[in-house]
Amino acid sequence: MMDSPSPAFRVIGHKIPKVDALAKVTGRAQFGADAALPRMLAGKVLRSPHAHARILRIDTREAEALPGVLAVITRDDFPEIVPGTPRAYATATAHDRYLSSEVMARDKVFYHGQAVAAVAAESEAIAEAALGLIRVEYEVLPHVLDAVDAMQPEAVRLHDDLYARTASGRETTPSNIAEHLEMGRGDTATGFDEADVIVERTFRTQVVHQGYIEPDSEAASVQEDGSVVVWANTQTTFSQRHDLAMVLDIPLSRIRVVPTEVGGAFGGKESVRVSALCVALSRKAHLPVRITFTRDEVIRATGPSCATVQTVKIGVRNDGTITAIQAHLVYDAGAYPGAPLRSAIRRVYSHYRTPNLKIDAYDVVTNKPKVAAYRAPGATPTCFALESLIDEAADAVHLDPLTFRLQNVSRDGDLMPDNVILPDVSFAEILERIRHHPCWTTPLAGPNQGRGLALGMWTMPGGTTSCHITLSADGSVTLVLGTVDLSATRTTLAMVAAEALGLEMEDVRVVVGDTDMVSYCDASAGDRVTYITSKAICQAAQDLLDRLKTRAASEFDVQPQSVQYDRKRFWVEADPEKSITLAELALRTIRGEAAVMGYASNSETWSTAAIAPNAAAHVADVEVDPETGDVKLLNYTAFQDVGFCLNPDQVAGQLQGGATQGIGWALSEGYLFDGNGAVRNANLLDYRLPSAVDVPLIGAEMVEVPSADHPYGIRAVGQVPIVPPAAAIANAISRATGIRPDELPMTPERLYLAISKSDFTSL
């Protein structure tokens, strides 16, 4: 809930329907699987049956001879990337070195389901049959699935060229540790000496998938001149273009990436996977190729979130002051480095102020699919551990969990773990709102019930974006965006353009451009799209209006500063009778009749650093059945500082959607691996996403503390709602049963076993 929109704004702050809603509900929107070109071939991928093995030989002759097969590709079709060597696009960097083998296994496979070969054929049935004719000889190697085990010196080593990055440089001995990250301040030993109570616990979480509705599906066509067009089911067209150029050794100028609609991503569709296979097949077959993954492939072989093992220790005085926090955090990156430890730690460990903080975090490779981002990457499991132990610390000094948090929570000017100053954060305001809210003040009504509270925070990661505004002869505008629309950003950004230009929503047409249409944009990820792009739009709109004022001033023979504009009309401030409508001026300009000529359009590129943190707190009520361990969610309320609420319905949807994903992470979701390293639950029957019957009506309470950095006070809203749910539910379960959950998901089986081993008595 929130107050009514500000009367200062005509468009933003109001409930506006999605501009692309009709196209999506009627099936006219074009998703990845809708890409269709004449004589388009169907692609299929052969995947490894082993979690770790050396590839000795690949024989594709029988598959190539099958009628209807037009191309077969293997590792030989992807040149090896060696850092420091020149490519057609740019010199390869250390960041690029694993790109090729992530697309197609080279000398070894590193997880069950890794791509080994691919086929393009006249039909999916023929392509599937051809996969069965490819002969691959493997030397099976030992594998490791647990990140802590993988850190041991005697563990099987995945990559011979992986040396841990540390604060003092790179290690000289290869290992499965890609990075040892240290953050902190003060002296934790002194802090723990000053504490009256010390609590410490180890927490474990599992691999979780983003669970997007639309499976990965992309297409490519290599033209006669060697140029490439890709229809990409992606969050990031420009990064996709970079990776394709690097993997396939093609000049950047020869690649055009056209974004399709994206049926869910949540961070899981940032890396190049499908399109590189499509391009390589199309280059061989001389025909367009489309590959659509099955749900089994999506779960087994795309980037899920990381598993973690976390040991956290907190020291507290009897008066409730936190004296020290120490954490040993192990993040499972899967087959290649890149676990999101840095992004998670600096946000989650900014929740509370303490003079003494020490964090040791490790990015570790194992024989699992390489992890990808998942909405506030890494923050959900990290928050689960910290916020669970915060509750335990509050109990240890006999303080209410809200009071304890309010006493210790970070404020403006406090330090983040990397010693960057935290600006403009509103934890205290949110906690005060909760203190007086019915979700906190209403007593629980039944036995075995508990109420849990947890905080969350995210900071927009910064980045670069661009837009282009073109004025039409009728006074309407076309807004071309370079960022892929994942969460109705067409609507929010059209609202910003309408507000900035004094137009109505129907006067703004929005187009998501491809890499040939607009300037560089970073990925649609991390909450950056609306926040940064709205700044670019405001600037582009102001520049366009300034140029139009100059043209109007020439019409009236006055200085430009004398011209005013509002609601599609220009007039002279000292003589309002001298006026011209936006449509009239646009028509004259486009016809060449205006006294001052120039294009009736404007482009803007905007870059910004990481700023505008958005804080959240969730309250969950549960009832636990001690006979089965089943958890019933009774009530759930999400509080969040949304800055200025741009579109209340969309913002509420973000809060509720993120909380629902976090609820799944908390209670039911997680990969199950067998002894061979294969995922046992690679389908949506056994991989238990929450359904409508598992989730109560989620209250969305919007706290509006406008960001001082944004012209409209907007803050990002999409990442943080997934951060607190697991911790809030764990704290509620603990208060209902007296048992502290220390592993996700908190399944009925795990809780039943914990209850049966305890002295818990049903209330």
Side-chain angles (χ1 to χ4, degrees):
M1 297 177 62
M2 59 168 290
D3 297 332
S4 58
S6 169
F9 300 115
R10 298 180 308 103
V11 181
I12 62 174
H14 295 263
K15 297 180 179 181
I16 303 291
K18 293 181 180 180
V19 298
D20 55 348
L22 188 60
K24 288 183 175 177
V25 299
T26 58
R28 293 201 305 273
Q30 297 293 298
F31 291 86
D34 295 319
L37 293 169
R39 300 186 64 197
M40 179 174 277
L41 304 177
K44 286 288 183 180
V45 182
L46 181 69
R47 301 189 177 278
S48 167
H50 307 292
H52 195 198
R54 199 176 310 280
I55 301 174
L56 303 179
R57 187 174 64 91
I58 305 176
D59 186 347
T60 63
R61 288 174 294 179
E62 287 187 56
E64 290 169 331
L66 184 68
V69 172
L70 281 87
V72 180
I73 58 171
T74 66
R75 57 193 176 183
D76 296 334
D77 296 278
F78 298 92
E80 186 176 3
I81 299 174
V82 179
T85 59
R87 310 283 281 183
Y89 159 47
T91 299
T93 67
H95 170 76
D96 302 317
R97 63 178 168 161
Y98 294 124
L99 277 175
S100 180
S101 59
E102 288 174 28
V103 170
M104 182 75 76
R106 301 193 66 79
D107 298 329
K108 292 203 302 183
V109 293
F110 295 105
Y111 62 92
H112 189 287
Q114 186 168 7
V116 175
V119 173
E122 292 173 349
S123 71
E124 287 194 5
I126 295 173
E128 193 72 48
L131 295 183
L133 299 176
I134 299 174
R135 309 302 175 200
V136 185
E137 184 179 343
Y138 297 98
E139 177 192 347
V140 179
L141 302 171
H143 63 269
V144 59
L145 297 178
D146 183 273
V148 174
D149 292 343
M151 295 173 69
Q152 306 311 310
E154 67 276 10
V156 57
R157 194 165 64 238
L158 274 68
H159 306 283
D160 293 331
D161 60 347
L162 183 60
Y163 299 85
R165 287 185 289 128
T166 69
S168 56
R170 287 190 179 274
E171 297 286 355
T172 57
T173 302
S175 72
N176 292 324
I177 302 172
E179 181 179 9
H180 173 200
L181 175 67
E182 299 176 77
M183 290 186 182
R185 57 183 174 269
D187 183 351
T188 52
T190 300
F192 288 123
D193 286 343
E194 295 173 352
D196 296 307
V197 174
I198 296 174
V199 292
E200 183 175 7
R201 193 177 290 272
T202 297
F203 300 86
R204 287 182 172 269
T205 69
Q206 309 305 318
V207 175
V208 171
H209 199 272
Q210 297 86 352
Y212 40 76
I213 296 173
E214 179 199 18
D216 302 64
S217 182
E218 298 186 333
S221 178
V222 178
Q223 310 298 303
E224 290 79 1
D225 62 358
S227 62
V228 176
V229 183
V230 170
W231 291 266
N233 175 240
T234 182
Q235 297 177 233
T236 167
T237 53
F238 287 92
S239 296
Q240 182 100 298
R241 184 177 64 167
H242 165 276
D243 291 350
L244 286 169
M246 193 60 64
V247 168
L248 296 159
D249 203 14
I250 301 173
L252 201 68
S253 61
R254 309 291 284 170
I255 302 173
R256 178 187 177 199
V257 179
V258 181
T260 64
E261 297 290 349
V262 180
F266 311 107
K269 293 178 180 175
E270 292 185 49
S271 60
V272 62
R273 290 190 295 259
V274 189
S275 58
L277 300 174
C278 293
V279 173
L281 287 167
S282 178
R283 189 160 55 179
K284 259 192 171 180
H286 305 291
L287 288 171
V289 176
R290 185 182 67 208
I291 295 176
T292 301
F293 285 173
T294 64
R295 183 65 62 180
D296 179 274
E297 288 179 293
V298 168
I299 294 177
R300 290 185 191 278
T302 62
S305 71
C306 61
T308 69
V309 180
Q310 307 171 68
T311 299
V312 185
K313 181 179 179 182
I314 299 177
V316 189
R317 292 196 188 99
N318 284 331
D319 66 1
T321 303
I322 295 175
T323 60
I325 300 176
Q326 184 170 315
H328 183 276
L329 311 174
V330 179
Y331 293 79
D332 186 340
Y336 300 95
L341 57 166
R342 183 174 277 96
S343 67
I345 291 164
R346 68 185 306 272
R347 274 90 168 198
V348 172
Y349 280 87
S350 292
H351 291 182
Y352 302 99
R353 48 169 54 162
T354 178
N356 305 298
L357 175 69
K358 179 174 173 53
I359 297 171
D360 290 279
Y362 298 86
D363 181 7
V364 182
V365 295
T366 64
N367 293 115
K368 297 175 183 174
K370 180 192 173 181
V371 303
Y374 180 12
R375 201 171 191 163
T380 303
T382 306
C383 182
F384 163 65
L386 177 63
E387 288 289 322
S388 292
L389 206 64
I390 285 289
D391 244 41
E392 195 165 340
D395 289 344
V397 293
H398 311 292
L399 283 177
D400 170 84
L402 190 150
T403 301
F404 181 74
R405 285 176 169 82
L406 195 55
Q407 180 175 336
N408 291 284
V409 78
S410 291
R411 268 90 168 170
D412 295 356
D414 284 337
L415 292 177
M416 300 177 77
D418 54 1
N419 293 315
V420 172
I421 292 176
L422 182 65
D424 200 17
V425 69
S426 49
F427 281 126
E429 290 88 340
I430 291 172
L431 287 169
E432 289 292 357
R433 175 90 163 255
I434 293 172
R435 183 194 292 278
H436 304 290
H437 192 277
C439 76
W440 191 254
T441 59
T442 304
L444 293 166
N448 309 321
Q449 294 182 359
R451 176 168 293 152
L453 169 67
L455 304 185
M457 190 191 77
W458 193 255
T459 55
M460 187 275 301
T464 299
T465 191
S466 64
C467 67
H468 183 81
I469 300 175
T470 301
L471 178 65
S472 300
D474 61 356
S476 66
V477 299
T478 298
L479 172 64
V480 182
L481 303 171
T483 48
V484 179
D485 185 351
L486 300 178
S487 52
T489 51
R490 281 188 188 91
T491 304
T492 53
L493 296 174
M495 293 171 68
V496 170
E499 189 72 49
L501 291 167
L503 303 176
E504 306 300 329
M505 279 293 290
E506 56 266 27
D507 298 322
V508 181
R509 176 173 174 262
V510 185
V511 175
V512 177
D514 60 54
T515 53
D516 283 357
M517 292 176 63
V518 289
S519 299
Y520 176 83
C521 290
D522 280 318
S524 295
D527 268 354
R528 63 166 55 94
V529 177
T530 296
Y531 188 90
I532 304 178
T533 309
S534 61
K535 286 187 169 186
I537 291 170
C538 287
Q539 187 61 57
Q542 187 58 57
D543 291 347
L544 179 59
L545 288 175
D546 287 346
R547 287 159 58 190
L548 290 170
K549 285 180 180 179
T550 298
R551 296 170 197 175
S554 297
E555 292 280 319
F556 303 134
D557 195 24
V558 297
Q559 294 299 311
Q561 56 266 32
S562 301
V563 177
Q564 301 296 308
Y565 173 78
D566 188 34
R567 307 286 182 95
K568 309 181 191 181
R569 177 174 168 267
F570 297 89
W571 71 91
V572 177
E573 186 174 21
D575 188 0
E577 294 300 316
K578 292 182 177 179
S579 68
I580 186 171
T581 67
L582 176 62
E584 290 170 338
L585 186 58
L587 183 61
R588 291 188 189 184
T589 301
I590 291 166
R591 286 179 174 175
E593 299 172 4
V596 177
M597 293 304 300
Y599 293 107
S601 64
N602 200 74
S603 294
E604 186 67 38
T605 297
W606 194 281
S607 296
T608 188
I611 38 179
N614 53 320
H618 290 194
V619 178
D621 291 351
V622 305
E623 182 175 284
V624 181
D625 184 343
E627 300 297 323
T628 64
D630 183 63
V631 176
K632 181 180 180 182
L633 270 174
L634 304 174
N635 296 290
Y636 199 99
T637 312
F639 295 79
Q640 186 169 318
D641 177 7
V642 301
F644 174 76
C645 189
L646 191 57
N647 186 332
D649 281 348
Q650 285 184 220
V651 172
Q654 288 292 313
L655 271 61
Q656 292 162 339
T660 299
Q661 288 181 310
I663 289 166
W665 199 320
L667 296 176
S668 62
E669 293 184 50
Y671 278 28
L672 301 174
F673 292 91
D674 67 16
N676 296 317
V679 181
R680 295 167 52 200
N681 57 335
N683 59 75
L684 294 188
L685 176 63
D686 300 316
Y687 183 87
R688 290 201 57 241
L689 291 169
S691 69
V693 299
D694 301 311
V695 181
L697 181 64
I698 295 172
E701 294 290 329
M702 301 171 208
V703 179
E704 291 191 273
V705 182
S707 166
D709 182 71
H710 194 281
Y712 291 143
I714 292 170
R715 292 181 190 266
V717 299
Q719 301 290 310
V720 77
I722 200 175
V723 178
I729 293 170
N731 289 336
I733 290 171
S734 179
R735 297 194 179 280
T737 64
I739 295 163
R740 170 58 58 190
D742 57 12
E743 186 169 0
L744 296 182
M746 297 173 286
T747 60
E749 179 184 19
R750 284 198 176 110
L751 292 176
Y752 170 75
L753 291 174
I755 290 170
S756 64
K757 293 175 184 177
S758 73
D759 56 2
F760 171 72
T761 302
S762 180
L763 299 177

